[in-house]
Amino acid sequence: MKVIKFFNASMMPALFLAVLMVGCDNSTDADIDPDAPEVFSTIPMNNQEDVERNMVLEIVFDEAMDAATMNNSTITLQQGSTTINGSVDYSGTTATFTPENVFAAQTDYTATISTGAKSSSGVALSNDYEWSFTTGGNSEQLEAVELGTAGNYVVLAESAITNNPTSAFTGDLGISPMAESFMTGFSQTAETGYSTSDQVTGRIYAADMVDPTPSNLTTAVENMATAYDDAAGRTAPDFVELYTGEIGGKTLTPGLYKWSNTVLITDDVTFSGDENAVWILQIAENVTMSSDVSITLTGGAQAQNIFWQVAGEATIGTTSHFEGIILSMTGITLNTGASLNGRILAQTAAIFDANTVVAPQ
């Protein structure tokens, strides 16, 4: 042990400070700026599950940031080792990341904000900020809605079927519990247990016709209500409030969709999927299609696998073309010259005006 020979009390403070400095590494603390911005909250939250597949990521900072540092270099998203493309926007204290495509179902994602992100005063984040989440939705094929004997009709309604000639229907029409007199504009010809019309390639059935038509219609109407409840009751939606209900000009992939408002179709819409793909669209209010727009199916998608569950009214615009099976609680109206490939299943009335309606094959 070495002894300091020339020691006096005046040397104590300096020696004590030297020992402290040798024994402590303050480099980490020195690197942390007390003025560094922090992430206040994120949407989705860290480790959140069942995240909607159309989720827009939101990052809220505890102070205003330099907008020039809010970009795809500082805010990134990955699925495993794959980088997810998207656009970054910033306003106030909030940055958003909007994915270029919808997320895959039942999949883990990791988001990162790097230290390249700086506050408005130029101070960077102290460390990279990282969080993860898992999407919900259906990783397996969505099951189609079972229509039962309601699927025997191209049009089935409970209170009225009103037609302004001349329309063309391919498939059977049915009304129950109301009588045939509540079906107008067809110039029916009575047969035993059904009627015919020059506007219908098929048969017309009503609750006041001879047996077994009334009981068959009762079963079909019950099946229609069951199908509506099935579609409305599906859980774990893939997409929630997609495009805030304005789907005009969009391409919809297979899955379960849910809206709490009216869905608007102001431009052409494409349903893209193979022949087994299924779409169920849960709509809490109305669906309104503008005039002169069309729904197109690509990749083998079939109208019989597209189910529009509409709690309000479904209205198809003049000369527009619609695809799919409409299950409506309130009513269905096709305006002049509109066409539909699918089925119209209305728990109230269906109204037509020189339309073409064809049951899916």
Side-chain angles (χ1 to χ4, degrees), residues 99-135:
E100 189 174 278
N101 299 301
V102 297
F103 297 134
Q106 300 291 325
T107 302
D108 296 329
Y109 291 87
T110 299
T112 302
I113 307 167
S114 76
T115 54
K118 298 180 179 180
S119 69
S120 58
S121 58
V123 181
L125 263 68
S126 298
N127 299 289
D128 289 352
Y129 186 92
E130 182 178 288
W131 80 102
S132 301
F133 60 89
T134 304
T135 55

PDB file of all heavy atoms in Angstrom, residues 99-135:
ATOM      1  N   PRO A  99     -50.778   2.852 -43.422  1.00  0.00           N
ATOM      2  CA  PRO A  99     -50.222   1.788 -44.263  1.00  0.00           C
ATOM      3  C   PRO A  99     -50.731   1.876 -45.696  1.00  0.00           C
ATOM      4  O   PRO A  99     -51.866   2.288 -45.940  1.00  0.00           O
ATOM      5  CB  PRO A  99     -50.709   0.502 -43.578  1.00  0.00           C
ATOM      6  CG  PRO A  99     -51.042   0.914 -42.184  1.00  0.00           C
ATOM      7  CD  PRO A  99     -51.543   2.319 -42.279  1.00  0.00           C
ATOM      8  N   GLU A 100     -49.883   1.499 -46.615  1.00  0.00           N
ATOM      9  CA  GLU A 100     -50.251   1.502 -48.027  1.00  0.00           C
ATOM     10  C   GLU A 100     -51.333   0.465 -48.308  1.00  0.00           C
ATOM     11  O   GLU A 100     -52.214   0.662 -49.146  1.00  0.00           O
ATOM     12  CB  GLU A 100     -49.007   1.205 -48.870  1.00  0.00           C
ATOM     13  CG  GLU A 100     -49.172   1.384 -50.358  1.00  0.00           C
ATOM     14  CD  GLU A 100     -47.862   1.210 -51.089  1.00  0.00           C
ATOM     15  OE1 GLU A 100     -47.075   2.173 -51.131  1.00  0.00           O
ATOM     16  OE2 GLU A 100     -47.612   0.092 -51.604  1.00  0.00           O
ATOM     17  N   ASN A 101     -51.271  -0.659 -47.617  1.00  0.00           N
ATOM     18  CA  ASN A 101     -52.258  -1.731 -47.751  1.00  0.00           C
ATOM     19  C   ASN A 101     -52.769  -2.119 -46.370  1.00  0.00           C
ATOM     20  O   ASN A 101     -52.128  -1.822 -45.354  1.00  0.00           O
ATOM     21  CB  ASN A 101     -51.640  -2.962 -48.437  1.00  0.00           C
ATOM     22  CG  ASN A 101     -51.159  -2.657 -49.836  1.00  0.00           C
ATOM     23  OD1 ASN A 101     -51.927  -2.250 -50.694  1.00  0.00           O
ATOM     24  ND2 ASN A 101     -49.860  -2.855 -50.073  1.00  0.00           N
ATOM     25  N   VAL A 102     -53.905  -2.789 -46.340  1.00  0.00           N
ATOM     26  CA  VAL A 102     -54.452  -3.237 -45.058  1.00  0.00           C
ATOM     27  C   VAL A 102     -53.541  -4.308 -44.463  1.00  0.00           C
ATOM     28  O   VAL A 102     -52.829  -5.014 -45.182  1.00  0.00           O
ATOM     29  CB  VAL A 102     -55.888  -3.778 -45.215  1.00  0.00           C
ATOM     30  CG1 VAL A 102     -56.820  -2.681 -45.703  1.00  0.00           C
ATOM     31  CG2 VAL A 102     -55.925  -4.973 -46.153  1.00  0.00           C
ATOM     32  N   PHE A 103     -53.559  -4.422 -43.143  1.00  0.00           N
ATOM     33  CA  PHE A 103     -52.741  -5.403 -42.464  1.00  0.00           C
ATOM     34  C   PHE A 103     -53.255  -6.824 -42.719  1.00  0.00           C
ATOM     35  O   PHE A 103     -54.446  -7.030 -42.982  1.00  0.00           O
ATOM     36  CB  PHE A 103     -52.743  -5.150 -40.953  1.00  0.00           C
ATOM     37  CG  PHE A 103     -52.140  -3.841 -40.541  1.00  0.00           C
ATOM     38  CD1 PHE A 103     -52.778  -3.030 -39.624  1.00  0.00           C
ATOM     39  CD2 PHE A 103     -50.927  -3.428 -41.054  1.00  0.00           C
ATOM     40  CE1 PHE A 103     -52.231  -1.823 -39.224  1.00  0.00           C
ATOM     41  CE2 PHE A 103     -50.353  -2.227 -40.662  1.00  0.00           C
ATOM     42  CZ  PHE A 103     -51.009  -1.419 -39.748  1.00  0.00           C
ATOM     43  N   ALA A 104     -52.361  -7.783 -42.581  1.00  0.00           N
ATOM     44  CA  ALA A 104     -52.761  -9.182 -42.611  1.00  0.00           C
ATOM     45  C   ALA A 104     -53.466  -9.524 -41.299  1.00  0.00           C
ATOM     46  O   ALA A 104     -53.239  -8.898 -40.269  1.00  0.00           O
ATOM     47  CB  ALA A 104     -51.541 -10.074 -42.798  1.00  0.00           C
ATOM     48  N   ALA A 105     -54.342 -10.515 -41.349  1.00  0.00           N
ATOM     49  CA  ALA A 105     -55.074 -10.928 -40.155  1.00  0.00           C
ATOM     50  C   ALA A 105     -54.187 -11.745 -39.218  1.00  0.00           C
ATOM     51  O   ALA A 105     -53.282 -12.461 -39.657  1.00  0.00           O
ATOM     52  CB  ALA A 105     -56.290 -11.753 -40.557  1.00  0.00           C
ATOM     53  N   GLN A 106     -54.449 -11.589 -37.906  1.00  0.00           N
ATOM     54  CA  GLN A 106     -53.777 -12.382 -36.879  1.00  0.00           C
ATOM     55  C   GLN A 106     -52.254 -12.352 -37.051  1.00  0.00           C
ATOM     56  O   GLN A 106     -51.586 -13.385 -37.063  1.00  0.00           O
ATOM     57  CB  GLN A 106     -54.285 -13.828 -36.924  1.00  0.00           C
ATOM     58  CG  GLN A 106     -55.767 -13.982 -36.683  1.00  0.00           C
ATOM     59  CD  GLN A 106     -56.157 -13.653 -35.243  1.00  0.00           C
ATOM     60  OE1 GLN A 106     -55.412 -13.929 -34.314  1.00  0.00           O
ATOM     61  NE2 GLN A 106     -57.319 -13.055 -35.077  1.00  0.00           N
ATOM     62  N   THR A 107     -51.710 -11.150 -37.150  1.00  0.00           N
ATOM     63  CA  THR A 107     -50.283 -10.982 -37.451  1.00  0.00           C
ATOM     64  C   THR A 107     -49.659  -9.957 -36.502  1.00  0.00           C
ATOM     65  O   THR A 107     -50.294  -8.974 -36.135  1.00  0.00           O
ATOM     66  CB  THR A 107     -50.092 -10.532 -38.914  1.00  0.00           C
ATOM     67  OG1 THR A 107     -50.687 -11.495 -39.789  1.00  0.00           O
ATOM     68  CG2 THR A 107     -48.625 -10.383 -39.261  1.00  0.00           C
ATOM     69  N   ASP A 108     -48.398 -10.207 -36.108  1.00  0.00           N
ATOM     70  CA  ASP A 108     -47.676  -9.294 -35.218  1.00  0.00           C
ATOM     71  C   ASP A 108     -46.939  -8.231 -36.028  1.00  0.00           C
ATOM     72  O   ASP A 108     -46.311  -8.534 -37.052  1.00  0.00           O
ATOM     73  CB  ASP A 108     -46.657 -10.063 -34.379  1.00  0.00           C
ATOM     74  CG  ASP A 108     -47.319 -11.065 -33.441  1.00  0.00           C
ATOM     75  OD1 ASP A 108     -48.447 -10.802 -32.992  1.00  0.00           O
ATOM     76  OD2 ASP A 108     -46.697 -12.118 -33.169  1.00  0.00           O
ATOM     77  N   TYR A 109     -46.993  -6.995 -35.550  1.00  0.00           N
ATOM     78  CA  TYR A 109     -46.293  -5.879 -36.182  1.00  0.00           C
ATOM     79  C   TYR A 109     -45.516  -5.110 -35.119  1.00  0.00           C
ATOM     80  O   TYR A 109     -45.929  -5.046 -33.958  1.00  0.00           O
ATOM     81  CB  TYR A 109     -47.275  -4.929 -36.864  1.00  0.00           C
ATOM     82  CG  TYR A 109     -47.940  -5.519 -38.091  1.00  0.00           C
ATOM     83  CD1 TYR A 109     -49.108  -6.274 -37.981  1.00  0.00           C
ATOM     84  CD2 TYR A 109     -47.401  -5.319 -39.363  1.00  0.00           C
ATOM     85  CE1 TYR A 109     -49.709  -6.812 -39.093  1.00  0.00           C
ATOM     86  CE2 TYR A 109     -48.002  -5.859 -40.487  1.00  0.00           C
ATOM     87  CZ  TYR A 109     -49.154  -6.608 -40.353  1.00  0.00           C
ATOM     88  OH  TYR A 109     -49.755  -7.143 -41.466  1.00  0.00           O
ATOM     89  N   THR A 110     -44.403  -4.498 -35.534  1.00  0.00           N
ATOM     90  CA  THR A 110     -43.594  -3.687 -34.633  1.00  0.00           C
ATOM     91  C   THR A 110     -43.341  -2.325 -35.262  1.00  0.00           C
ATOM     92  O   THR A 110     -42.871  -2.231 -36.398  1.00  0.00           O
ATOM     93  CB  THR A 110     -42.241  -4.365 -34.343  1.00  0.00           C
ATOM     94  OG1 THR A 110     -42.480  -5.636 -33.719  1.00  0.00           O
ATOM     95  CG2 THR A 110     -41.403  -3.505 -33.418  1.00  0.00           C
ATOM     96  N   ALA A 111     -43.651  -1.273 -34.507  1.00  0.00           N
ATOM     97  CA  ALA A 111     -43.443   0.101 -34.961  1.00  0.00           C
ATOM     98  C   ALA A 111     -42.274   0.711 -34.197  1.00  0.00           C
ATOM     99  O   ALA A 111     -42.060   0.403 -33.019  1.00  0.00           O
ATOM    100  CB  ALA A 111     -44.698   0.934 -34.749  1.00  0.00           C
ATOM    101  N   THR A 112     -41.517   1.575 -34.871  1.00  0.00           N
ATOM    102  CA  THR A 112     -40.352   2.197 -34.249  1.00  0.00           C
ATOM    103  C   THR A 112     -40.291   3.679 -34.610  1.00  0.00           C
ATOM    104  O   THR A 112     -40.519   4.062 -35.757  1.00  0.00           O
ATOM    105  CB  THR A 112     -39.048   1.521 -34.719  1.00  0.00           C
ATOM    106  OG1 THR A 112     -39.100   0.127 -34.413  1.00  0.00           O
ATOM    107  CG2 THR A 112     -37.838   2.150 -34.029  1.00  0.00           C
ATOM    108  N   ILE A 113     -39.964   4.501 -33.593  1.00  0.00           N
ATOM    109  CA  ILE A 113     -39.652   5.910 -33.814  1.00  0.00           C
ATOM    110  C   ILE A 113     -38.188   6.078 -33.448  1.00  0.00           C
ATOM    111  O   ILE A 113     -37.786   5.820 -32.312  1.00  0.00           O
ATOM    112  CB  ILE A 113     -40.524   6.821 -32.944  1.00  0.00           C
ATOM    113  CG1 ILE A 113     -42.005   6.499 -33.144  1.00  0.00           C
ATOM    114  CG2 ILE A 113     -40.252   8.293 -33.267  1.00  0.00           C
ATOM    115  CD1 ILE A 113     -42.898   7.121 -32.103  1.00  0.00           C
ATOM    116  N   SER A 114     -37.387   6.486 -34.396  1.00  0.00           N
ATOM    117  CA  SER A 114     -35.938   6.567 -34.157  1.00  0.00           C
ATOM    118  C   SER A 114     -35.544   7.901 -33.537  1.00  0.00           C
ATOM    119  O   SER A 114     -36.338   8.843 -33.459  1.00  0.00           O
ATOM    120  CB  SER A 114     -35.188   6.380 -35.479  1.00  0.00           C
ATOM    121  OG  SER A 114     -35.275   7.565 -36.259  1.00  0.00           O
ATOM    122  N   THR A 115     -34.294   7.967 -33.126  1.00  0.00           N
ATOM    123  CA  THR A 115     -33.766   9.196 -32.528  1.00  0.00           C
ATOM    124  C   THR A 115     -33.582  10.296 -33.561  1.00  0.00           C
ATOM    125  O   THR A 115     -33.176  11.409 -33.219  1.00  0.00           O
ATOM    126  CB  THR A 115     -32.438   8.920 -31.817  1.00  0.00           C
ATOM    127  OG1 THR A 115     -31.530   8.287 -32.740  1.00  0.00           O
ATOM    128  CG2 THR A 115     -32.651   8.020 -30.610  1.00  0.00           C
ATOM    129  N   GLY A 116     -33.873   9.990 -34.817  1.00  0.00           N
ATOM    130  CA  GLY A 116     -33.871  11.044 -35.829  1.00  0.00           C
ATOM    131  C   GLY A 116     -35.036  11.991 -35.670  1.00  0.00           C
ATOM    132  O   GLY A 116     -35.054  13.084 -36.247  1.00  0.00           O
ATOM    133  N   ALA A 117     -36.031  11.603 -34.875  1.00  0.00           N
ATOM    134  CA  ALA A 117     -37.176  12.471 -34.589  1.00  0.00           C
ATOM    135  C   ALA A 117     -36.766  13.519 -33.573  1.00  0.00           C
ATOM    136  O   ALA A 117     -36.229  13.193 -32.506  1.00  0.00           O
ATOM    137  CB  ALA A 117     -38.337  11.639 -34.064  1.00  0.00           C
ATOM    138  N   LYS A 118     -37.001  14.796 -33.909  1.00  0.00           N
ATOM    139  CA  LYS A 118     -36.561  15.888 -33.045  1.00  0.00           C
ATOM    140  C   LYS A 118     -37.709  16.827 -32.696  1.00  0.00           C
ATOM    141  O   LYS A 118     -38.666  16.955 -33.453  1.00  0.00           O
ATOM    142  CB  LYS A 118     -35.446  16.679 -33.725  1.00  0.00           C
ATOM    143  CG  LYS A 118     -34.194  15.869 -34.012  1.00  0.00           C
ATOM    144  CD  LYS A 118     -33.135  16.727 -34.688  1.00  0.00           C
ATOM    145  CE  LYS A 118     -31.869  15.916 -34.960  1.00  0.00           C
ATOM    146  NZ  LYS A 118     -30.827  16.751 -35.612  1.00  0.00           N
ATOM    147  N   SER A 119     -37.553  17.472 -31.562  1.00  0.00           N
ATOM    148  CA  SER A 119     -38.538  18.466 -31.146  1.00  0.00           C
ATOM    149  C   SER A 119     -38.396  19.717 -32.003  1.00  0.00           C
ATOM    150  O   SER A 119     -37.425  19.875 -32.758  1.00  0.00           O
ATOM    151  CB  SER A 119     -38.350  18.821 -29.676  1.00  0.00           C
ATOM    152  OG  SER A 119     -37.143  19.540 -29.505  1.00  0.00           O
ATOM    153  N   SER A 120     -39.336  20.616 -31.868  1.00  0.00           N
ATOM    154  CA  SER A 120     -39.294  21.855 -32.649  1.00  0.00           C
ATOM    155  C   SER A 120     -38.080  22.706 -32.303  1.00  0.00           C
ATOM    156  O   SER A 120     -37.663  23.564 -33.080  1.00  0.00           O
ATOM    157  CB  SER A 120     -40.578  22.654 -32.427  1.00  0.00           C
ATOM    158  OG  SER A 120     -40.749  22.951 -31.049  1.00  0.00           O
ATOM    159  N   SER A 121     -37.492  22.458 -31.132  1.00  0.00           N
ATOM    160  CA  SER A 121     -36.283  23.184 -30.733  1.00  0.00           C
ATOM    161  C   SER A 121     -35.014  22.439 -31.129  1.00  0.00           C
ATOM    162  O   SER A 121     -33.903  22.852 -30.763  1.00  0.00           O
ATOM    163  CB  SER A 121     -36.289  23.429 -29.222  1.00  0.00           C
ATOM    164  OG  SER A 121     -36.373  22.202 -28.506  1.00  0.00           O
ATOM    165  N   GLY A 122     -35.177  21.304 -31.850  1.00  0.00           N
ATOM    166  CA  GLY A 122     -34.025  20.582 -32.370  1.00  0.00           C
ATOM    167  C   GLY A 122     -33.450  19.514 -31.485  1.00  0.00           C
ATOM    168  O   GLY A 122     -32.374  18.977 -31.762  1.00  0.00           O
ATOM    169  N   VAL A 123     -34.131  19.164 -30.398  1.00  0.00           N
ATOM    170  CA  VAL A 123     -33.639  18.129 -29.485  1.00  0.00           C
ATOM    171  C   VAL A 123     -34.218  16.775 -29.902  1.00  0.00           C
ATOM    172  O   VAL A 123     -35.428  16.641 -30.088  1.00  0.00           O
ATOM    173  CB  VAL A 123     -34.024  18.444 -28.030  1.00  0.00           C
ATOM    174  CG1 VAL A 123     -33.479  17.375 -27.089  1.00  0.00           C
ATOM    175  CG2 VAL A 123     -33.509  19.821 -27.632  1.00  0.00           C
ATOM    176  N   ALA A 124     -33.345  15.781 -30.020  1.00  0.00           N
ATOM    177  CA  ALA A 124     -33.762  14.459 -30.476  1.00  0.00           C
ATOM    178  C   ALA A 124     -34.288  13.596 -29.334  1.00  0.00           C
ATOM    179  O   ALA A 124     -34.000  13.846 -28.151  1.00  0.00           O
ATOM    180  CB  ALA A 124     -32.586  13.746 -31.129  1.00  0.00           C
ATOM    181  N   LEU A 125     -35.076  12.565 -29.705  1.00  0.00           N
ATOM    182  CA  LEU A 125     -35.466  11.558 -28.717  1.00  0.00           C
ATOM    183  C   LEU A 125     -34.208  10.957 -28.109  1.00  0.00           C
ATOM    184  O   LEU A 125     -33.189  10.790 -28.795  1.00  0.00           O
ATOM    185  CB  LEU A 125     -36.283  10.447 -29.373  1.00  0.00           C
ATOM    186  CG  LEU A 125     -37.814  10.516 -29.289  1.00  0.00           C
ATOM    187  CD1 LEU A 125     -38.337  11.689 -30.124  1.00  0.00           C
ATOM    188  CD2 LEU A 125     -38.433   9.210 -29.798  1.00  0.00           C
ATOM    189  N   SER A 126     -34.251  10.626 -26.836  1.00  0.00           N
ATOM    190  CA  SER A 126     -33.081  10.062 -26.173  1.00  0.00           C
ATOM    191  C   SER A 126     -32.741   8.682 -26.712  1.00  0.00           C
ATOM    192  O   SER A 126     -31.566   8.326 -26.873  1.00  0.00           O
ATOM    193  CB  SER A 126     -33.320   9.981 -24.661  1.00  0.00           C
ATOM    194  OG  SER A 126     -33.523  11.251 -24.112  1.00  0.00           O
ATOM    195  N   ASN A 127     -33.782   7.886 -26.995  1.00  0.00           N
ATOM    196  CA  ASN A 127     -33.601   6.520 -27.484  1.00  0.00           C
ATOM    197  C   ASN A 127     -34.687   6.197 -28.495  1.00  0.00           C
ATOM    198  O   ASN A 127     -35.736   6.849 -28.533  1.00  0.00           O
ATOM    199  CB  ASN A 127     -33.683   5.511 -26.327  1.00  0.00           C
ATOM    200  CG  ASN A 127     -32.621   5.732 -25.272  1.00  0.00           C
ATOM    201  OD1 ASN A 127     -31.448   5.482 -25.500  1.00  0.00           O
ATOM    202  ND2 ASN A 127     -33.051   6.229 -24.110  1.00  0.00           N
ATOM    203  N   ASP A 128     -34.429   5.182 -29.315  1.00  0.00           N
ATOM    204  CA  ASP A 128     -35.483   4.695 -30.202  1.00  0.00           C
ATOM    205  C   ASP A 128     -36.670   4.248 -29.353  1.00  0.00           C
ATOM    206  O   ASP A 128     -36.491   3.632 -28.285  1.00  0.00           O
ATOM    207  CB  ASP A 128     -34.995   3.512 -31.032  1.00  0.00           C
ATOM    208  CG  ASP A 128     -33.998   3.924 -32.096  1.00  0.00           C
ATOM    209  OD1 ASP A 128     -33.806   5.142 -32.297  1.00  0.00           O
ATOM    210  OD2 ASP A 128     -33.415   3.028 -32.732  1.00  0.00           O
ATOM    211  N   TYR A 129     -37.877   4.548 -29.830  1.00  0.00           N
ATOM    212  CA  TYR A 129     -39.085   4.118 -29.126  1.00  0.00           C
ATOM    213  C   TYR A 129     -39.753   3.037 -29.966  1.00  0.00           C
ATOM    214  O   TYR A 129     -40.049   3.244 -31.145  1.00  0.00           O
ATOM    215  CB  TYR A 129     -40.034   5.301 -28.937  1.00  0.00           C
ATOM    216  CG  TYR A 129     -41.256   4.978 -28.093  1.00  0.00           C
ATOM    217  CD1 TYR A 129     -41.248   5.181 -26.719  1.00  0.00           C
ATOM    218  CD2 TYR A 129     -42.411   4.458 -28.679  1.00  0.00           C
ATOM    219  CE1 TYR A 129     -42.355   4.879 -25.939  1.00  0.00           C
ATOM    220  CE2 TYR A 129     -43.522   4.149 -27.913  1.00  0.00           C
ATOM    221  CZ  TYR A 129     -43.489   4.358 -26.544  1.00  0.00           C
ATOM    222  OH  TYR A 129     -44.587   4.049 -25.787  1.00  0.00           O
ATOM    223  N   GLU A 130     -40.003   1.869 -29.366  1.00  0.00           N
ATOM    224  CA  GLU A 130     -40.537   0.723 -30.105  1.00  0.00           C
ATOM    225  C   GLU A 130     -41.736   0.140 -29.374  1.00  0.00           C
ATOM    226  O   GLU A 130     -41.749   0.062 -28.150  1.00  0.00           O
ATOM    227  CB  GLU A 130     -39.442  -0.335 -30.243  1.00  0.00           C
ATOM    228  CG  GLU A 130     -39.837  -1.566 -31.022  1.00  0.00           C
ATOM    229  CD  GLU A 130     -38.686  -2.549 -31.156  1.00  0.00           C
ATOM    230  OE1 GLU A 130     -37.746  -2.251 -31.927  1.00  0.00           O
ATOM    231  OE2 GLU A 130     -38.717  -3.603 -30.471  1.00  0.00           O
ATOM    232  N   TRP A 131     -42.757  -0.242 -30.151  1.00  0.00           N
ATOM    233  CA  TRP A 131     -43.898  -0.941 -29.560  1.00  0.00           C
ATOM    234  C   TRP A 131     -44.499  -1.896 -30.584  1.00  0.00           C
ATOM    235  O   TRP A 131     -44.266  -1.768 -31.790  1.00  0.00           O
ATOM    236  CB  TRP A 131     -44.940   0.034 -29.029  1.00  0.00           C
ATOM    237  CG  TRP A 131     -45.886   0.653 -30.025  1.00  0.00           C
ATOM    238  CD1 TRP A 131     -47.173   0.315 -30.273  1.00  0.00           C
ATOM    239  CD2 TRP A 131     -45.607   1.761 -30.899  1.00  0.00           C
ATOM    240  NE1 TRP A 131     -47.723   1.129 -31.231  1.00  0.00           N
ATOM    241  CE2 TRP A 131     -46.785   2.028 -31.620  1.00  0.00           C
ATOM    242  CE3 TRP A 131     -44.484   2.554 -31.143  1.00  0.00           C
ATOM    243  CZ2 TRP A 131     -46.874   3.041 -32.580  1.00  0.00           C
ATOM    244  CZ3 TRP A 131     -44.566   3.561 -32.083  1.00  0.00           C
ATOM    245  CH2 TRP A 131     -45.746   3.797 -32.784  1.00  0.00           C
ATOM    246  N   SER A 132     -45.243  -2.877 -30.083  1.00  0.00           N
ATOM    247  CA  SER A 132     -45.783  -3.940 -30.938  1.00  0.00           C
ATOM    248  C   SER A 132     -47.278  -4.104 -30.729  1.00  0.00           C
ATOM    249  O   SER A 132     -47.828  -3.718 -29.688  1.00  0.00           O
ATOM    250  CB  SER A 132     -45.075  -5.271 -30.653  1.00  0.00           C
ATOM    251  OG  SER A 132     -43.685  -5.166 -30.885  1.00  0.00           O
ATOM    252  N   PHE A 133     -47.923  -4.710 -31.741  1.00  0.00           N
ATOM    253  CA  PHE A 133     -49.354  -5.010 -31.644  1.00  0.00           C
ATOM    254  C   PHE A 133     -49.675  -6.188 -32.555  1.00  0.00           C
ATOM    255  O   PHE A 133     -48.861  -6.567 -33.413  1.00  0.00           O
ATOM    256  CB  PHE A 133     -50.200  -3.782 -32.019  1.00  0.00           C
ATOM    257  CG  PHE A 133     -49.968  -3.269 -33.417  1.00  0.00           C
ATOM    258  CD1 PHE A 133     -50.705  -3.748 -34.490  1.00  0.00           C
ATOM    259  CD2 PHE A 133     -49.005  -2.297 -33.648  1.00  0.00           C
ATOM    260  CE1 PHE A 133     -50.484  -3.277 -35.777  1.00  0.00           C
ATOM    261  CE2 PHE A 133     -48.785  -1.815 -34.929  1.00  0.00           C
ATOM    262  CZ  PHE A 133     -49.523  -2.300 -35.999  1.00  0.00           C
ATOM    263  N   THR A 134     -50.848  -6.765 -32.331  1.00  0.00           N
ATOM    264  CA  THR A 134     -51.289  -7.925 -33.113  1.00  0.00           C
ATOM    265  C   THR A 134     -52.658  -7.643 -33.711  1.00  0.00           C
ATOM    266  O   THR A 134     -53.569  -7.189 -33.011  1.00  0.00           O
ATOM    267  CB  THR A 134     -51.379  -9.184 -32.224  1.00  0.00           C
ATOM    268  OG1 THR A 134     -50.115  -9.411 -31.603  1.00  0.00           O
ATOM    269  CG2 THR A 134     -51.765 -10.401 -33.050  1.00  0.00           C
ATOM    270  N   THR A 135     -52.799  -7.898 -34.995  1.00  0.00           N
ATOM    271  CA  THR A 135     -54.077  -7.653 -35.663  1.00  0.00           C
ATOM    272  C   THR A 135     -55.102  -8.733 -35.324  1.00  0.00           C
ATOM    273  O   THR A 135     -54.754  -9.848 -34.937  1.00  0.00           O
ATOM    274  CB  THR A 135     -53.905  -7.601 -37.192  1.00  0.00           C
ATOM    275  OG1 THR A 135     -53.261  -8.810 -37.630  1.00  0.00           O
ATOM    276  CG2 THR A 135     -53.074  -6.412 -37.606  1.00  0.00           C
TER     277      THR A 135
END
